[in-house]
Amino acid sequence: MGRVIAIANQKGGVGKTTTAINLGASLAIAERKTLVIDCDPQGNATSGFGLRKDLNTPSVYECLVNGQPLEAALRTEVHFPCLSVVSASRDLIGAEVELIDRADRQRILGRKIDALRGEFDYILIDSPPSLGLLTLNALAAADAVLIPIQCEFYALEGLSQLLNTVRFVQRGINPGLEIEGVLLTMYDSRLNLAKQVAAEAREYFGGKVFDTMIPRNIRLAEAPSFGEPIALYDVLSSGARGYLSLARELIDRHQEAKIA
């Protein structure tokens, strides 16, 4: 059964969508069947993969609101044979209002994903940078949440709200939800501030912080405008090496957990 990981942080600009795109691509390069679901109304993961609105293929909006199966929304072999994507559309902006009166509205996405779990090794959900109904659906569907943290001032502030939401979901909706790990992004080893944020994160989260840190890298910032993951845009860049290393660390963690 595939492992479902929600990538979440209520702050924008922390590398959340960048991580969804490039971790998904890196897992696919490692020949793990991977699905990335874009649940952010901004649709940045969709455009970051170079995907445009396809009138013949439903988006995640049609799956959540109109009852379409997630399988009907799959775009397969996106850049790599092992990578599939479910795209977002602007219609998703109104989804929270349209779902508010639905029974069991927090579990709609989870039920859709359960029908596909057996077909993938990893299912990554790019959550909105807010703590509304779409994010609750992502956390309710997930086995674990991956939290990117930008290595800059105020990086750890505001995390309490996200962690409170995680605890709320654990208590009432998804008792099995874990913290997959904390990922330090936009790390610049030349800056004392970045080192300080990294040290504080490791002190607070302990072993949950990934050893891999994603460096600040201009090629990584450029790649979405070309509709490509960094591993395609510039595989020799430090950003590409960072996400390939993260994928390997994630795979190794799960293999070790299975053995244990």
Side-chain angles (χ1 to χ4, degrees):
M1 298 292 285
R3 185 164 179 82
V4 181
I5 301 174
I7 301 174
N9 194 314
Q10 82 286 355
K11 293 179 66 176
V14 297
K16 177 182 63 64
T17 297
T18 299
T19 296
I21 294 169
N22 292 297
L23 176 57
S26 297
L27 289 167
I29 290 170
E31 298 184 341
R32 291 341 190 248
K33 291 196 69 177
T34 304
L35 170 62
V36 177
I37 302 175
D38 189 356
C39 275
D40 188 341
Q42 297 178 80
N44 289 338
T46 300
S47 60
F49 279 118
L51 298 175
R52 298 183 181 274
K53 176 69 174 176
D54 183 348
L55 297 178
N56 297 317
T57 304
S59 70
V60 71
Y61 170 84
E62 282 78 23
C63 298
L64 291 174
V65 176
N66 297 336
Q68 290 270 16
L70 210 57
E71 186 175 11
L74 288 181
R75 302 197 191 190
T76 59
E77 298 188 10
V78 178
H79 297 300
F80 305 99
C82 290
L83 182 61
S84 298
V85 177
V86 173
S87 64
S89 68
R90 291 184 180 181
D91 295 333
L92 202 55
I93 295 172
E96 297 202 3
V97 175
E98 296 181 66
L99 294 174
I100 196 67
D101 293 327
R102 300 278 184 93
D104 214 17
R105 56 188 176 271
Q106 299 99 331
R107 292 188 173 91
I108 295 173
L109 181 60
R111 291 196 296 270
K112 302 287 183 182
I113 288 175
D114 285 344
L116 284 177
R117 270 184 183 258
E119 299 183 26
F120 294 96
D121 298 305
Y122 290 95
I123 298 175
L124 308 181
I125 308 171
D126 185 25
S127 307
S130 64
L131 298 179
L133 187 54
L134 291 174
T135 298
L136 281 178
N137 260 269
L139 295 176
D143 299 310
V145 56
L146 189 156
I147 306 171
I149 296 178
Q150 185 176 354
C151 290
E152 293 190 355
F153 199 58
Y154 295 135
L156 300 179
E157 289 196 5
L159 272 183
S160 59
Q161 189 178 3
L162 175 61
L163 294 175
N164 286 339
T165 301
V166 170
R167 285 189 283 267
F168 167 78
V169 172
Q170 288 171 328
R171 288 195 301 267
I173 304 172
N174 183 3
L177 181 66
E178 305 172 350
I179 294 180
E180 183 70 51
V182 173
L183 176 66
L184 299 169
T185 67
M186 303 183 191
Y187 181 77
D188 188 337
S189 61
R190 299 169 299 178
L191 301 179
N192 288 332
L193 177 59
K195 295 176 182 178
Q196 180 182 347
V197 170
E200 290 178 359
R202 295 188 189 282
E203 181 179 354
Y204 186 82
F205 290 102
K208 288 294 184 181
V209 180
F210 287 102
D211 293 333
T212 301
M213 295 185 287
I214 306 302
R216 183 179 294 279
N217 177 234
I218 188 62
R219 304 295 279 173
L220 194 56
E222 291 172 351
S225 65
F226 290 86
E228 293 182 344
I230 186 61
L232 276 182
Y233 182 66
D234 187 351
V235 71
L236 298 179
S237 67
S238 60
R241 293 196 302 271
Y243 276 108
L244 289 167
S245 174
L246 175 64
R248 175 49 55 193
E249 185 176 352
L250 190 69
I251 292 168
D252 288 346
R253 280 190 181 190
H254 294 161
Q255 289 177 339
E256 291 170 3
K258 287 180 182 178
I259 294 172

